[in-house]
Amino acid sequence: MKFEDFEEKTINRKEIFKGHIIDVKVDDVELPQGLGTAKRELIFHPGAVSMIPITADNKIILVRQFRKALEKVIYEIPAGKLEAGEKDHVKEAALRELEEETGYTSENIELIYEFYSAPGFCNEKIYLYYIDNLVKVENPRPQDDDEVLEVGQFTLEECKDLIASEEIADAKTIMAIQYWELNNKK
Amino acid sequence: MKFEDFEEKTINRKEIFKGHIIDVKVDDVELPQGLGTAKRELIFHPGAVSMIPITADNKIILVRQFRKALEKVIYEIPAGKLEAGEKDHVKEAALRELEEETGYTSENIELIYEFYSAPGFCNEKIYLYYIDNLVKVENPRPQDDDEVLEVGQFTLEECKDLIASEEIADAKTIMAIQYWELNNKK
């Protein structure tokens, strides 16, 4: 089928909420193929960077933090949302987040995936980088002052245990660890 | 660090939007360790099921559909949100979605991951199942009447090409294909 056979055209868009991180809109759409109309609840997000930072002794750096939406503390790969004006400087944004969250930097940074986190209702796009040859930054940029993070280094086997115990519990981190495993096997 | 060293306690919660699929709330939270207060923009979602359906000739079934938040048509693994009362019957919900979207069912269904799609702001939890020994259903349940889907079967190599061309572009589907690749190699 062609794009036109799928496309839902917006008839009306209602702005529900304009936040600091997300905007919420509800569209009335005209369905394709004469199927009538429907409502779509939509979240707009500026996008984010995330990374697989691998140390010289083949461990991954993860950050542990509280997530209010879950009321849980979980381990994730380092990540952060894109700030205004960073859309054209995504790699620099990734290195900024890496430095803020872990105190490391690198010249060895490779984009491996761009993906949407929840395409059914949200346009958040996440850029995932693989980074090794890590170098300690002497006076790293500080962490955001409303974030409490604990940084740690883990082997692949330790990561698998954290997935089993649901201390690693989000899509981008599981994806990152699977990528690392597939890559290690090559 | 302990849970208390991370926890952000809600001081006040503002209900912004109550939709058919998502609710939006904004919390004022008290940060841990005397760091003051902050705002958290939160999306509440009923959760979803998704699956890796593998055919007898070792292909994965994907569905192609329009996603309004992206204004794009993409290939994804079959998935659908949990309906009211399905929280305790997640496996049945997965089989319902499989039948509606692909016309297949199976008795061979294994839960491989439970994960959050976007833990930074959203509580959507997705259950991912691996399903093989697929059996055609004679009169399958119909698709939702506001969804236009195209169903197809793809080899692992074809999936990698779809990732490279960004026609596969979401976290759960990339994760599913990585899992399939890791599993095939065993």
Side-chain angles (χ1 to χ4, degrees):
Chain A
M1 292 199 292
K2 288 176 299 181
F3 184 78
E4 300 76 58
D5 300 322
F6 291 101
E7 189 185 10
E8 302 175 352
K9 290 200 173 117
T10 297
I11 305 164
N12 187 52
R13 170 162 288 185
K14 197 167 155 189
E15 314 262 347
I16 303 288
F17 175 66
K18 210 168 166 55
H20 291 284
I21 297 170
I22 54 172
D23 294 342
V24 182
K25 301 177 187 188
V26 175
D27 279 17
D28 293 309
V29 300
E30 187 187 333
L31 297 170
Q33 307 184 29
L35 287 169
T37 60
K39 279 199 189 296
R40 299 289 178 237
E41 298 167 6
L42 305 170
I43 309 294
F44 292 89
H45 184 286
V49 290
S50 64
M51 62 221 68
I52 306 173
I54 303 296
T55 65
D57 58 347
N58 205 30
K59 292 182 176 178
I60 190 169
I61 302 179
L62 299 179
V63 295
R64 193 167 166 234
Q65 65 191 305
F66 181 79
R67 291 306 203 175
K68 186 68 197 173
L70 320 181
E71 300 287 352
K72 280 185 184 166
V73 176
I74 57 173
Y75 289 93
E76 294 168 68
I77 54 172
K81 68 173 195 298
L82 288 171
E83 311 289 347
E86 284 189 327
K87 277 262 180 226
D88 298 325
H89 306 278
V90 179
K91 191 199 278 189
E92 290 73 13
L95 289 171
R96 173 183 55 73
E97 281 295 337
L98 179 70
E99 184 177 326
E100 284 179 11
E101 297 201 345
T102 73
Y104 284 101
T105 191
S106 175
E107 293 188 351
N108 229 12
I109 169 168
E110 181 196 358
L111 179 65
I112 55 172
Y113 294 126
E114 300 174 23
F115 59 88
Y116 297 97
S117 57
F121 58 95
C122 177
N123 78 338
E124 185 191 26
K125 187 176 198 175
I126 302 182
Y127 297 81
L128 178 61
Y129 290 89
Y130 187 90
I131 306 180
D132 55 12
N133 284 11
L134 297 173
V135 179
K136 261 275 176 224
V137 178
E138 214 159 304
N139 295 299
R141 299 152 187 262
Q143 289 172 11
D144 292 347
D145 58 9
D146 69 343
E147 279 186 348
V148 173
L149 299 179
E150 190 176 56
V151 183
Q153 302 187 359
F154 300 89
T155 65
L156 180 59
E157 287 311 310
E158 287 167 342
C159 288
K160 288 183 181 183
D161 290 343
L162 289 173
I163 292 173
S165 65
E166 295 182 37
E167 289 168 278
I168 288 174
D170 77 306
K172 70 178 178 311
T173 304
I174 295 174
M175 177 197 296
I177 287 160
Q178 290 187 150
Y179 177 88
W180 185 32
E181 182 171 8
L182 282 165
N183 218 49
N184 260 356
K185 284 187 171 178
K186 273 173 194 158
Chain B
M1 291 199 293
K2 289 176 298 181
F3 184 79
E4 300 77 59
D5 300 321
F6 291 100
E7 188 186 10
E8 302 176 352
K9 290 200 172 116
T10 297
I11 305 163
N12 186 51
R13 170 163 289 185
K14 198 167 154 190
E15 315 262 345
I16 304 289
F17 175 65
K18 209 167 167 55
H20 291 284
I21 296 170
I22 54 171
D23 294 343
V24 182
K25 300 176 188 189
V26 176
D27 279 17
D28 293 310
V29 300
E30 186 186 333
L31 298 170
Q33 307 185 28
L35 287 169
T37 61
K39 279 200 189 297
R40 299 289 178 237
E41 298 167 7
L42 305 170
I43 308 295
F44 293 89
H45 184 285
V49 290
S50 64
M51 63 221 67
I52 306 174
I54 303 295
T55 65
D57 58 346
N58 205 30
K59 292 181 176 178
I60 190 169
I61 302 179
L62 299 179
V63 295
R64 194 167 165 234
Q65 66 191 305
F66 181 79
R67 292 306 203 175
K68 187 67 198 174
L70 320 181
E71 299 287 354
K72 281 184 184 167
V73 176
I74 57 173
Y75 289 93
E76 293 168 69
I77 54 173
K81 67 173 195 299
L82 288 171
E83 311 287 348
E86 283 188 327
K87 277 263 181 228
D88 299 325
H89 307 278
V90 180
K91 192 200 277 190
E92 290 74 13
L95 289 170
R96 174 183 54 72
E97 281 294 337
L98 180 71
E99 184 177 326
E100 284 179 11
E101 297 201 345
T102 73
Y104 284 100
T105 191
S106 175
E107 293 187 352
N108 228 13
I109 169 168
E110 181 196 358
L111 179 65
I112 54 172
Y113 293 128
E114 301 173 22
F115 60 88
Y116 297 97
S117 57
F121 58 95
C122 176
N123 78 337
E124 184 191 26
K125 187 176 198 174
I126 301 181
Y127 297 80
L128 178 60
Y129 289 90
Y130 187 91
I131 306 180
D132 56 13
N133 284 9
L134 297 173
V135 179
K136 261 277 175 223
V137 178
E138 213 160 303
N139 294 301
R141 299 152 188 260
Q143 290 171 11
D144 292 348
D145 58 9
D146 69 342
E147 279 186 349
V148 173
L149 299 179
E150 190 176 56
V151 183
Q153 302 187 359
F154 301 89
T155 65
L156 179 59
E157 288 310 312
E158 287 167 341
C159 288
K160 289 183 180 183
D161 290 343
L162 290 172
I163 292 173
S165 65
E166 294 182 37
E167 289 167 278
I168 289 174
D170 78 304
K172 71 179 176 312
T173 304
I174 295 174
M175 178 197 295
I177 288 160
Q178 289 175 332
Y179 178 88
W180 184 32
E181 182 171 7
L182 282 166
N183 219 48
N184 260 354
K185 283 187 171 178
K186 271 173 196 158

